[in-house]
Amino acid sequence: MTDKKINAKYTVEGRVWINSENFAFTGQGKIELIEKIKVLGSLRKAASEMKMSYRQAWQNIDKMNKLSEKPLVILKRGGKDGGIAEVTEFAENVILAYKNLQTAFDIFIKEQTKKLNI
Amino acid sequence: MTDKKINAKYTVEGRVWINSENFAFTGQGKIELIEKIKVLGSLRKAASEMKMSYRQAWQNIDKMNKLSEKPLVILKRGGKDGGIAEVTEFAENVILAYKNLQTAFDIFIKEQTKKLNI
DNA sequence: AATCGTTATTCACTAATAGATATAACGAAT
DNA sequence: ATTCGTTATATCTATTAGTGAATAACGATT
């Protein structure tokens, strides 16, 4: 017989990210941004699609690139299409690591919510 | 032989809290505030000792009281000492739950940092 | 060299947050 | 009734964060 006494009023929530030298260089928003860049090949379009200001998007990418070992997105201006935004293989690894983390965290949250005793 | 190949450049970080109907009614700051209230018997002194503005402290307590099932801190004004702030038994339970959660989360963070593969 | 759409950067404006200050309300103790 | 130190609340200011607009810089393609 399963225990049905679940208190749904209180839940555990939280956030996780990966840090590099005092800067959270991942986080849901940034991961999503990189993924959109990968699809669209453009920082401007990616930001626009996320309804994130271009400025903020650029700053995020710039910080991530500068504060991590290797760049995550290579931005080039000029050229045929005005410029390109290229997602590096390193970024792919980071995204994978973040997703694994997030998956584990989701499980953690569920467990802890179940354990809540208030 | 222990694996010494630890990449200390990247770490997992995060935050957890307990939610009640769309309001994070716990969090390190709020828990600390309640604990200080318990010791000092005064919201004003507790806020002052934490270098938190009285206004913010009062608002936090007020929200917590209103948005949770039972009040966590009972505030009374007037009287011999000008007023009193009383921590309820319910608040004690919440604090305990939060600390258990935090302990588990600390372990989670360590594990995940160790697993980081970037 | 002219064009194009992007990256890169600045500036001014706005909204939101935090803080400080001041003061009213309170009621047990005297 | 007066006093006291607190709770409770309003108001103003300073700081910060975020947005939007405008524009310069770029370089492969034509």
Side-chain angles (χ1 to χ4, degrees), chain A residues 52-88:
Chain A
M52 178 187 283
S53 75
Y54 174 82
R55 190 165 166 260
Q56 188 179 14
W58 182 85
Q59 283 175 338
N60 274 334
I61 296 296
D62 190 54
K63 265 196 175 179
M64 285 199 281
N65 281 345
K66 283 181 178 159
L67 290 173
S68 59
E69 209 175 359
K70 309 173 196 169
L72 285 87
V73 178
I74 295 172
L75 297 173
K76 291 177 187 165
R77 61 181 169 181
K80 188 179 66 167
D81 299 319
I84 54 172
E86 206 175 6
V87 174
T88 68

Coordinates of all heavy atoms in Angstrom, one line a residue, chain A residues 52-88:
Chain A
M52 N 15.5 38.2 -25.5 CA 16.6 38.7 -24.7 C 17.2 39.9 -25.5 O 17.3 39.8 -26.7 CB 17.6 37.6 -24.4 CG 18.8 38.1 -23.6 SD 20.1 36.8 -23.5 CE 19.4 35.7 -22.3
S53 N 17.5 40.9 -24.8 CA 18.1 42.1 -25.5 C 19.5 41.6 -26.1 O 20.2 40.9 -25.5 CB 18.3 43.3 -24.6 OG 19.4 43.1 -23.7
Y54 N 19.8 42.1 -27.3 CA 21.0 41.8 -27.9 C 22.2 42.1 -27.1 O 23.2 41.3 -27.0 CB 21.2 42.5 -29.3 CG 22.5 42.3 -29.9 CD1 22.7 41.1 -30.7 CD2 23.5 43.2 -29.8 CE1 24.0 40.9 -31.2 CE2 24.8 42.9 -30.3 CZ 25.0 41.8 -31.1 OH 26.2 41.6 -31.6
R55 N 22.1 43.2 -26.4 CA 23.2 43.7 -25.6 C 23.5 42.6 -24.5 O 24.6 42.2 -24.3 CB 22.8 45.0 -24.9 CG 24.0 45.7 -24.2 CD 23.6 47.1 -24.0 NE 24.5 47.7 -23.0 CZ 24.2 47.9 -21.8 NH1 23.0 47.5 -21.3 NH2 25.1 48.4 -20.9
Q56 N 22.4 42.2 -23.8 CA 22.6 41.3 -22.7 C 23.2 39.9 -23.3 O 24.1 39.3 -22.6 CB 21.3 41.0 -22.0 CG 21.4 40.2 -20.8 CD 20.0 40.0 -20.1 OE1 19.0 40.2 -20.7 NE2 20.1 39.5 -18.9
A57 N 22.6 39.5 -24.4 CA 23.1 38.3 -25.0 C 24.6 38.4 -25.3 O 25.4 37.5 -25.0 CB 22.3 38.0 -26.3
W58 N 25.0 39.5 -25.9 CA 26.4 39.6 -26.3 C 27.3 39.6 -25.1 O 28.3 39.0 -25.0 CB 26.6 40.9 -27.1 CG 28.0 41.1 -27.5 CD1 28.6 40.6 -28.7 CD2 29.0 41.8 -26.8 NE1 29.9 40.9 -28.7 CE2 30.2 41.6 -27.6 CE3 29.1 42.5 -25.6 CZ2 31.4 42.2 -27.2 CZ3 30.3 43.0 -25.2 CH2 31.4 42.9 -26.0
Q59 N 26.8 40.4 -24.0 CA 27.6 40.4 -22.8 C 27.8 39.0 -22.2 O 28.8 38.7 -21.7 CB 27.0 41.4 -21.8 CG 27.2 42.9 -22.2 CD 26.5 43.8 -21.2 OE1 25.5 43.4 -20.6 NE2 27.0 45.0 -21.2
N60 N 26.7 38.3 -22.2 CA 26.7 36.9 -21.6 C 27.8 36.1 -22.3 O 28.6 35.4 -21.7 CB 25.4 36.3 -21.7 CG 24.5 36.6 -20.5 OD1 25.0 36.9 -19.4 ND2 23.2 36.6 -20.7
I61 N 27.7 36.1 -23.7 CA 28.6 35.3 -24.4 C 30.0 35.8 -24.2 O 31.0 35.0 -24.1 CB 28.2 35.4 -25.9 CG1 26.8 34.7 -26.2 CG2 29.3 34.6 -26.8 CD1 26.7 33.3 -25.9
D62 N 30.2 37.1 -24.2 CA 31.5 37.6 -24.1 C 32.1 37.2 -22.7 O 33.3 36.8 -22.7 CB 31.4 39.2 -24.2 CG 32.8 39.8 -24.3 OD1 33.6 39.4 -25.2 OD2 33.1 40.7 -23.4
K63 N 31.4 37.3 -21.7 CA 31.9 36.9 -20.4 C 32.2 35.5 -20.3 O 33.3 35.1 -19.8 CB 30.8 37.2 -19.3 CG 30.9 38.5 -18.6 CD 30.1 38.6 -17.3 CE 30.3 39.8 -16.5 NZ 29.5 39.8 -15.3
M64 N 31.3 34.6 -20.9 CA 31.5 33.2 -20.9 C 32.8 32.9 -21.6 O 33.6 32.1 -21.2 CB 30.4 32.5 -21.5 CG 29.1 32.4 -20.6 SD 28.0 31.1 -21.1 CE 27.2 31.9 -22.5
N65 N 33.0 33.5 -22.7 CA 34.2 33.3 -23.5 C 35.5 33.7 -22.8 O 36.5 32.9 -22.8 CB 34.1 34.0 -24.9 CG 33.2 33.3 -25.9 OD1 32.9 32.1 -25.7 ND2 32.8 34.0 -26.9
K66 N 35.4 34.8 -22.1 CA 36.6 35.3 -21.5 C 36.9 34.6 -20.2 O 38.1 34.4 -19.8 CB 36.4 36.8 -21.1 CG 36.6 37.7 -22.4 CD 36.4 39.2 -22.0 CE 36.6 40.1 -23.2 NZ 36.0 41.4 -23.1
L67 N 35.9 34.1 -19.5 CA 36.1 33.6 -18.2 C 36.2 32.0 -18.2 O 36.5 31.4 -17.2 CB 35.0 34.0 -17.2 CG 35.1 35.5 -16.8 CD1 33.9 35.9 -16.0 CD2 36.4 35.8 -16.1
S68 N 36.0 31.4 -19.3 CA 36.3 30.0 -19.4 C 37.5 29.7 -20.2 O 38.1 30.6 -20.9 CB 35.1 29.3 -19.9 OG 34.8 29.7 -21.2
E69 N 38.0 28.5 -20.0 CA 39.2 28.1 -20.5 C 39.3 28.4 -22.1 O 40.3 28.9 -22.6 CB 39.4 26.6 -20.3 CG 40.8 26.2 -20.1 CD 40.8 24.7 -19.7 OE1 39.6 24.1 -19.6 OE2 41.8 24.1 -19.6
K70 N 38.2 27.9 -22.7 CA 38.2 28.1 -24.1 C 36.9 28.8 -24.5 O 35.9 28.7 -23.7 CB 38.1 26.7 -24.8 CG 39.2 25.8 -24.4 CD 39.0 24.4 -25.0 CE 39.8 23.3 -24.3 NZ 39.4 21.9 -24.7
P71 N 36.8 29.4 -25.6 CA 35.6 30.1 -26.0 C 34.4 29.1 -26.3 O 34.7 28.0 -26.7 CB 35.9 30.9 -27.3 CG 37.2 30.2 -27.8 CD 37.9 29.7 -26.6
L72 N 33.2 29.6 -26.0 CA 32.1 28.7 -26.3 C 31.4 29.1 -27.6 O 30.8 28.2 -28.2 CB 31.1 28.8 -25.1 CG 31.5 28.1 -23.8 CD1 32.3 29.0 -23.0 CD2 30.2 27.6 -23.1
V73 N 31.4 30.3 -27.9 CA 30.8 30.8 -29.1 C 31.8 31.7 -29.8 O 32.3 32.7 -29.2 CB 29.5 31.5 -28.9 CG1 29.0 32.1 -30.2 CG2 28.5 30.6 -28.2
I74 N 32.1 31.4 -31.1 CA 33.0 32.3 -31.8 C 32.2 33.2 -32.7 O 31.4 32.8 -33.5 CB 34.0 31.5 -32.7 CG1 34.9 30.6 -31.8 CG2 34.8 32.4 -33.6 CD1 35.7 29.6 -32.5
L75 N 32.4 34.5 -32.4 CA 31.6 35.5 -33.1 C 32.5 36.2 -34.1 O 33.6 36.7 -33.8 CB 31.1 36.6 -32.1 CG 30.2 36.1 -31.0 CD1 29.8 37.2 -30.0 CD2 28.9 35.6 -31.6
K76 N 32.1 36.3 -35.3 CA 32.8 36.9 -36.4 C 31.9 38.0 -37.1 O 30.8 37.7 -37.3 CB 33.3 35.9 -37.4 CG 34.4 35.0 -36.9 CD 34.7 34.0 -38.0 CE 35.7 32.9 -37.5 NZ 35.7 31.7 -38.4
R77 N 32.5 39.1 -37.3 CA 31.7 40.1 -38.0 C 32.2 40.3 -39.4 O 33.3 40.0 -39.7 CB 31.6 41.4 -37.2 CG 32.9 42.1 -37.0 CD 32.7 43.4 -36.2 NE 33.9 44.0 -35.7 CZ 33.9 45.1 -35.0 NH1 32.8 45.7 -34.6 NH2 35.1 45.6 -34.6
G78 N 31.3 40.9 -40.2 CA 31.6 41.1 -41.6 C 31.3 39.8 -42.4 O 30.9 38.8 -41.9
G79 N 31.6 39.9 -43.7 CA 31.4 38.7 -44.5 C 30.0 38.7 -45.2 O 29.2 39.6 -45.1
K80 N 29.8 37.6 -45.9 CA 28.6 37.5 -46.7 C 27.3 37.8 -46.0 O 26.5 38.7 -46.4 CB 28.5 36.0 -47.3 CG 27.4 35.9 -48.3 CD 27.3 34.4 -48.9 CE 26.9 33.4 -47.8 NZ 26.6 32.1 -48.3
D81 N 27.1 37.1 -44.9 CA 25.8 37.3 -44.2 C 25.9 38.4 -43.1 O 25.1 38.4 -42.2 CB 25.3 36.0 -43.6 CG 25.1 35.0 -44.7 OD1 24.5 35.4 -45.8 OD2 25.5 33.8 -44.5
G82 N 27.0 39.2 -43.1 CA 27.2 40.2 -42.1 C 28.0 39.7 -40.9 O 28.6 40.5 -40.2
G83 N 28.0 38.5 -40.7 CA 28.7 37.9 -39.6 C 28.2 36.5 -39.3 O 27.2 36.1 -39.8
I84 N 28.9 35.8 -38.4 CA 28.5 34.5 -38.0 C 28.7 34.2 -36.6 O 29.7 34.8 -36.0 CB 29.1 33.3 -38.9 CG1 30.6 33.5 -38.8 CG2 28.6 33.4 -40.3 CD1 31.3 32.3 -39.4
A85 N 28.0 33.4 -36.0 CA 28.2 33.0 -34.6 C 28.3 31.5 -34.6 O 27.4 30.8 -35.1 CB 27.0 33.4 -33.7
E86 N 29.4 31.0 -34.1 CA 29.7 29.6 -34.2 C 29.9 28.9 -32.9 O 30.6 29.4 -32.0 CB 31.0 29.4 -35.0 CG 31.2 28.1 -35.8 CD 32.5 28.2 -36.6 OE1 33.3 29.2 -36.4 OE2 32.8 27.2 -37.3
V87 N 29.2 27.9 -32.6 CA 29.2 27.2 -31.3 C 30.4 26.2 -31.4 O 30.4 25.3 -32.3 CB 27.9 26.5 -31.0 CG1 28.0 25.7 -29.7 CG2 26.8 27.5 -30.9
T88 N 31.3 26.2 -30.4 CA 32.4 25.3 -30.4 C 32.1 24.0 -29.8 O 31.1 23.8 -29.1 CB 33.6 25.9 -29.6 OG1 33.2 25.9 -28.2 CG2 33.9 27.3 -30.0

